[in-house]
């Protein structure tokens, strides 16, 4: 009824979790992809880029450039 598929919802949830890990940890991308259930970091990279328009590295670098308040 809402026009959203399970696959789209799953992609959104994974992207939000990935954004959290990429913004708040220095964990290697391979570890982040594994935490999120990807067996291959390249699959994680493709899925993240498809959902957000940025690679995980580009997202991480862009968010490190923004000062955060504690």
């Amino acid at each position: 009824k809402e026009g959203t598929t399970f696959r789209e919802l799953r992609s959104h949830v994974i992207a939000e979790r990935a954004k959290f890990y990429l913004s708040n940890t220095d964990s290697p991308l391979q570890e982040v992809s594994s935490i999120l259930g990807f067996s291959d970091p390249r699959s994680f990279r493709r899925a993240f880029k498809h959902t957000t328009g940025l690679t995980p590295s580009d997202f991480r670098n862009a968010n490190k450039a923004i000062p955060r308040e504690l």
Side-chain angles (χ1 to χ4, degrees), residues 7-66:
R7 177 180 242 159
E8 291 169 331
L9 290 172
R10 182 180 179 273
S11 294
H12 176 75
V13 169
I14 290 171
E16 290 304 310
R17 288 183 65 204
K19 288 177 186 179
F20 173 82
Y21 285 114
L22 295 169
S23 297
N24 296 295
T25 73
D26 289 327
S27 298
L29 295 179
Q30 185 171 359
E31 184 177 333
V32 173
S33 68
S34 179
I35 290 169
L36 296 171
F38 289 88
S39 58
D40 181 12
R42 292 176 293 183
S43 296
F44 166 61
R45 183 185 181 281
R46 280 192 303 271
F48 188 84
K49 186 169 184 177
H50 177 77
T51 304
T52 66
L54 295 170
T55 65
S57 296
D58 289 343
F59 178 85
R60 178 175 267 170
N61 291 335
N63 281 286
K64 285 191 175 194
I66 300 170

